[in-house]
Amino acid sequence: MDFSALPTAPSGRAPRPRFDPQRMGVAGLYAVIFVGTAGAFGIGFMNLAVQTFTKAAKPITGPLWTIGWVASVLAVLVGVVPVAMIVVREMLGRRAHTPDGSLAAFAQANGLSYEAGLPLPDYPGAIFSTGTRRTATRRLTSTSGPSFELGDFSYDVPAGRTTATHNWGYIALRLDRRLPQILLESVAYGQNTAGALPVAINRSQKLQLEGDFDRYFTLYCPRGFETDALFLLTPDVMALMIDSVAEFDVEIVDDWLFVYSPTDFSTAGEAEYRRLFDIIQMLEAKIVDQAAHYSHDDAEVQQARGTQQAEQAADGVRLTRATSQYSR
């Protein structure tokens, strides 16, 4: 492919994910706020005590005063410094987007279709049915050969009296047939809060695998379809996924394969787009081709459909959701 139309990125590494309180964890966020507030009050109290003792002509000495000052300063550093770093990181993270003209020229040079912004197709993936004002932007779509799409996606979620905008990068590849839903959730950002994906899966569907794969992904598949998941995720495929997409989430649902990035692709340069298209080629050569040879017992599928909620079993076999988003 011809990548000359894209700006050269300063680094071949992917941009760092933007700050998201969900990934930080509510407990961690509250702890930072609490410690910083406590430290501010502590220093205020110590100043008031100093003034009081000074007016009373009392000596201000001793280990208790030293411990008090040190504890107050440390509390401020622990509480304020992380918040300051978050603010600075957000400001620095708002880099200029890859110009639409560059992406349009890249698409023209490589026989792709480019759309700066359009309503998103009715995708069945985990991120596409959440929130409001769902928008897909900077979409690169194949016009011939295997069907794929690469773009950015955002949606709004109520956050108190305001709304929080969540940004994603995604890859969508069309499969030749419907498959049972399989979710590979990256462990790179932890799963002790709402997690990177805005879904909560019943953890009884978690499938443990041998080797190092579980160190990089948590695998979910519908009950009774463990063998089907292993048919697609052969040892060589798992090794390639660890090397290529360990920081992304991967989902197979119906006749689609999705890759979700916790940060959008709008700031990516030439090096990152090279990497993304390498991922597309790898998935096409391995999983898409493997899925074309997949077959399952239709009676087994019908039985599995009968055990799930109707809305989850409309097309193919779906994972059952957890009863609460806080089950993680």
Side-chain angles (χ1 to χ4, degrees):
M1 301 187 69
D2 181 4
F3 293 89
S4 60
L6 297 177
T8 302
S11 171
R13 295 176 297 177
R16 296 180 64 184
R18 294 174 180 172
F19 171 70
D20 187 344
Q22 285 189 335
R23 297 192 185 101
M24 179 179 180
V26 174
L29 186 62
Y30 284 174
V32 168
I33 296 174
F34 174 78
V35 172
T37 305
F41 274 107
I43 286 186
F45 173 77
M46 296 296 290
N47 283 324
L48 180 61
V50 168
Q51 294 176 11
T52 302
F53 274 71
T54 301
K55 290 180 180 180
K58 299 289 185 179
I60 308 174
T61 57
L64 184 60
W65 284 104
T66 303
I67 293 174
W69 276 112
V70 171
S72 298
V73 172
L74 287 178
V76 169
L77 292 177
V78 171
V80 175
V81 171
V83 174
M85 291 176 63
I86 289 170
V87 172
V88 172
R89 179 178 170 183
E90 281 293 283
M91 295 177 64
L92 295 178
R94 295 176 181 176
R95 303 187 300 271
H97 294 301
T98 298
D100 289 336
S102 297
L103 287 173
F106 169 75
Q108 184 176 8
N110 294 281
L112 303 174
S113 172
Y114 175 70
E115 296 290 346
L118 279 177
L120 189 75
D122 189 19
Y123 286 149
I127 68 172
F128 299 115
S129 59
T130 301
T132 59
R133 297 181 62 186
R134 296 188 287 267
T135 306
T137 57
R138 297 177 178 84
R139 296 166 55 187
L140 293 166
T141 308
S142 60
T143 56
S144 61
S147 176
F148 70 85
E149 182 175 308
L150 184 154
D152 295 336
F153 177 68
S154 65
Y155 58 84
D156 292 343
V157 174
R161 296 183 179 181
T162 61
T163 58
T165 300
H166 296 254
N167 299 288
W168 297 82
Y170 72 92
I171 297 172
L173 290 89
R174 195 66 179 263
L175 304 175
D176 291 335
R177 60 171 304 162
R178 281 183 165 84
L179 276 71
Q181 186 177 10
I182 297 173
L183 178 62
L184 294 169
E185 191 172 35
S186 173
V187 303
Y189 301 98
Q191 300 174 30
N192 58 336
T193 65
L197 290 176
V199 295
I201 303 298
N202 189 321
R203 298 187 69 84
S204 65
Q205 301 163 106
K206 181 178 177 180
L207 178 60
Q208 296 283 355
L209 298 177
E210 297 180 357
D212 294 335
F213 195 71
D214 289 338
R215 293 173 50 194
Y216 300 91
F217 295 99
T218 300
L219 170 61
Y220 297 96
C221 68
R223 297 175 188 173
F225 288 84
E226 293 81 2
T227 302
D228 303 70
L230 296 177
F231 172 82
L232 296 172
L233 300 175
T234 57
D236 63 321
V237 171
M238 290 191 289
L240 286 172
M241 294 187 71
I242 290 174
D243 293 337
S244 303
V245 293
E247 71 273 34
F248 299 150
D249 301 299
V250 180
E251 181 182 27
I252 295 174
V253 54
D254 296 342
D255 53 348
W256 286 98
L257 186 154
F258 298 105
V259 177
Y260 308 123
S261 166
T263 182
D264 57 42
F265 300 140
S266 60
T267 57
E270 176 187 348
E272 182 63 11
Y273 272 104
R274 285 183 181 274
R275 180 185 177 221
L276 293 174
F277 277 94
D278 286 343
I279 291 173
I280 291 174
Q281 292 179 357
M282 183 273 292
L283 294 174
E284 287 177 346
K286 294 296 182 178
I287 295 184
V288 175
D289 180 70
Q290 190 79 343
H293 300 89
Y294 170 78
S295 64
H296 52 217
D297 185 357
D298 291 338
E300 184 184 32
V301 173
Q302 293 299 329
Q303 182 180 4
R305 285 181 175 179
T307 62
Q308 302 183 59
Q309 297 179 4
E311 64 271 16
Q312 293 180 340
D315 296 308
V317 179
R318 303 288 185 89
L319 291 164
T320 56
R321 299 290 181 90
T323 54
S324 170
Q325 178 70 12
Y326 297 99
S327 64
R328 296 174 184 237

